[in-house]
Structures are given as structure tokens and as C-alpha cells.
Amino acid sequence: MNLKQYLDIAPEVKAAVDAGKPVVALESTILSHGMPYPENLTFAAEIERIIRAAGAVPATMAIIDGRMKVGLSAGELELMCRGEGVTKVSRRDLPILLAQGGTGATTVASTMILASLAGIRVFATGGIGGVHRGAETSMDISADLQELAHTPVAVVCAGAKMILDIGLTLEYLETMGVPVLGFNTDDFPAFYCRKSGFGVDYNAPTALDVARVAKTKWDLGLAGGMLIGNPVPEEYAMDFNEMSAIIDKALASAAEAGVRGKNITPYLLAHIVEYTGGRSLATNIQLAYNNARVAAAIAVELAKL
Ligand code: PSU
Ligand code: MN
């Protein structure tokens, strides 16, 4: 294995990892395929600032000109946010992009891969991919779930969007042996809403509790990651019934347009923003900031254990 051939770790990130200091991974699909420009540019800078303010080093991941990038410059963040010619890169796309010298945004799955290669154990995102509604016929199950089963990174999210079948997503994670913790909640959150109606395995009231579970899991040699569901702050939460109706409308539109495969998630995200007149974007941004704060606190505690 000749990793160095493909991997560029920003000097600040490398120094922090080598010194055992807290580092938080961030994905770039949320920038290129999850939020409009230029709101995503402000977001990309602010989420990194929040992680620094909480005492950790941010490391946004991407594939640029066939290289795996861990930690992006301002210019590289801008490239991801503009999103021109930037494809969506999950696990199966990674070798192809690297071989072709392409540029792509990393999903939760590929961000976990890059984080793990760089020695980063904590990752903040918005929402994870999961088992799609109707997966019993479409077989559309995000590679994010398999990655959580195999790659040792703790992922802080605001739950999963109701574009997914949240109950089946949690069943799949159970089968794959992935611990699902609620950050100070008994309910797995539903992204825009604080509750999905499905419970978590454990309510972890503090960052230290999460860090202890993560350390113990990895001390035991149990492969794979963990999922931490962190509910959107109350003041930014959206109405469950309103969002259910909007998501149903987006799903119907996708079915009518015949959208499938890797394009379905970006399609649904863009339509949800459109149908809520941008209100969902504000919620999306705030819940991701909140996840960054919690992920940084977990990384800080983990570094002390
Ligand atoms: N869900 C969201 N926002 C996102 C994504 C999912 O609410 O931005 C992105 C993440 O990068 C996630 C990816 O890893 O979509 C999942 O895509 P797929 O379902 O094609 O695996
Ligand atoms: Mn899919």
C-alpha cells in the first residue's frame, strides 16, 4: 500500500494528528451537492471557525485533481462550493476519480475513509445517507451505512432526513453492529425535526460520555464507527407535519422525473430547499454548526482519554 502517492494532509492537520490533538473531519458533498452557492461558501468558513473556537482543528475532505485532500485551503473550499465539474464521490467512486485525476466532493462514506487514513476519529456532518423509502424494491441503501460498519470514525449528525426510511436505517445499523447514541436525547432525530419517533440505543448526555463509548469500542478491537444523533436546536427546528408533506412532494417529483441512484439525494435536497422557500436551508446550516460544536467537544474529550 502506497498511501502517500494519493493522500495530501494539510500541515496543520498533520501536526495536530501527530501530537494527539483534537481534529474534526468535515465532508464536501454537503457543500457541492447539498447547499446552493454562495451560501455554502459562508457556511464552509463558519463551520471551520466554530470547530477552531471549540479547541479542535477542522479538516474538510475532497478529491482534487486525483488527490485525496485532508484539510482544504480557502481556494479549494471555493472550488467545492462552486461545484463546477465536481462529481459526488462515495466509496465505489474513489479509485475511479483518483485513477482519472478527477475532482469530486466526498460523501459521509468517503469522508470516513479519508479521515481514517489520516488518523482522524471524529467527523461532523448534517444528515447521513441511509435506507431509502421503497428500498425493498429499489435496493437503494447508502454506502454510508456499510462505512459506519467498517471504518473507525464517530460521526455526529442531526439524524436522517425523512427522504429515508428511518426505521429501516436504524435496523440496518443494528444488523451491522453500529452503536447509535443520542446526544442528550432518547429519540433519534429527523434532521429538520428533533424527533423521528424512533429511539436510540443509548442517551449520552455529554461529550465525555460519547468519547468514553468510542474509546471503549476501539479498545475492544470492535471494527467500525459510531453514529451520534444530535437534535437541531429547538429555535431552528421545523414542523414535523409540514416537513413530511414537503418531503412527500419532493419524492413524488423525483419519481416522476425518474431520478435514481447517486442523483436522488442531491435532487431531493435541492427540491426541499425550493419548496420551503429557503427556510430549510437556514435550519440545515444551523444544525450542521451545532453538530460541529458537539463533534469538537467529543474530539477534545477523546484526546484527553
Ligand atoms: N443527506 C443529507 N444531506 C446531505 C447528504 C445526505 O441530509 O448532504 C449527502 C451526504 O454527503 C451523504 C450523501 O453521505 O448525501 C449520501 O448519498 P447517497 O444516498 O447517494 O449515498
Ligand atoms: Mn443511493
Side-chain angles (χ1 to χ4, degrees):
M1 195 161 78
N2 189 356
L3 256 184
K4 284 200 180 122
Q5 200 182 329
Y6 303 105
L7 188 66
D8 291 335
I9 307 180
E12 185 197 9
V13 174
K14 177 92 171 64
V17 170
D18 288 349
K21 293 199 175 135
V23 179
V24 174
L26 297 167
E27 59 154 310
S28 44
T29 291
I30 192 173
L31 305 175
S32 305
H33 306 284
M35 284 182 193
Y37 184 87
E39 286 88 345
N40 54 4
L41 198 57
T42 319
F43 168 80
E46 177 63 9
I47 195 164
E48 291 205 348
R49 194 199 62 76
I50 287 169
I51 288 168
R52 285 182 202 285
V57 173
T60 304
M61 312 291 180
I63 310 301
I64 299 177
D65 297 333
R67 312 254 333 144
M68 296 189 282
K69 298 278 182 190
V70 177
L72 302 186
S73 67
E76 289 167 336
L77 282 175
E78 167 107 32
L79 180 74
M80 287 299 125
C81 289
R82 286 192 181 273
E84 285 154 23
V86 177
T87 60
K88 179 175 158 189
V89 183
S90 196
R91 171 177 273 267
R92 58 98 188 256
D93 311 288
L94 197 53
I96 301 165
L97 263 279
L98 297 186
Q100 292 181 339
T103 294
T106 55
T107 62
V108 168
S110 53
T111 300
M112 289 177 74
I113 295 172
L114 268 62
S116 172
L117 290 175
I120 301 168
R121 296 300 189 124
V122 183
F123 165 20
T125 185
I128 56 156
V131 180
H132 279 257
R133 293 205 213 164
E136 59 274 22
T137 51
S138 70
M139 289 192 63
D140 190 346
I141 299 174
S142 173
D144 291 354
L145 301 185
Q146 282 287 327
E147 210 59 55
L148 282 161
H150 300 301
T151 304
V153 177
V155 180
V156 181
C157 69
K161 283 204 176 80
M162 287 175 285
I163 58 176
L164 303 175
D165 187 319
I166 295 178
L168 291 189
T169 299
L170 292 170
E171 289 294 345
Y172 193 101
L173 290 167
E174 179 184 359
T175 302
M176 289 290 142
V178 179
V180 178
L181 310 191
F183 190 72
N184 206 8
T185 178
D186 292 319
D187 296 80
F188 190 69
F191 201 82
Y192 301 115
C193 311
R194 291 175 58 86
K195 292 180 180 187
S196 66
F198 294 92
V200 292
D201 301 338
Y202 298 100
N203 180 337
T206 70
L208 178 58
D209 293 301
V210 177
R212 281 199 182 119
V213 175
K215 179 178 189 295
T216 306
K217 175 175 162 128
W218 294 324
D219 279 350
L220 289 169
L222 292 173
M226 274 180 19
L227 191 62
I228 298 101
N230 181 34
V232 59
E234 192 84 61
E235 61 268 41
Y236 300 109
M238 299 184 75
D239 181 70
F240 188 89
N241 294 324
E242 183 199 6
M243 283 318 292
S244 295
I246 281 169
I247 283 164
D248 286 346
K249 193 175 156 193
L251 284 165
S253 163
E256 198 179 321
V259 184
R260 259 181 238 96
K262 72 192 277 184
N263 297 326
I264 186 104
T265 298
Y267 182 96
L268 294 170
L269 299 181
H271 280 73
I272 291 167
V273 172
E274 183 191 323
Y275 296 155
T276 59
R279 271 185 308 131
S280 66
L281 180 61
T283 298
N284 195 344
I285 287 170
Q286 292 300 329
L287 64 81
Y289 290 163
N290 190 43
N291 294 342
R293 275 186 285 271
V294 169
I298 293 167
V300 166
E301 293 301 338
L302 202 52
K304 286 194 251 169
L305 289 177

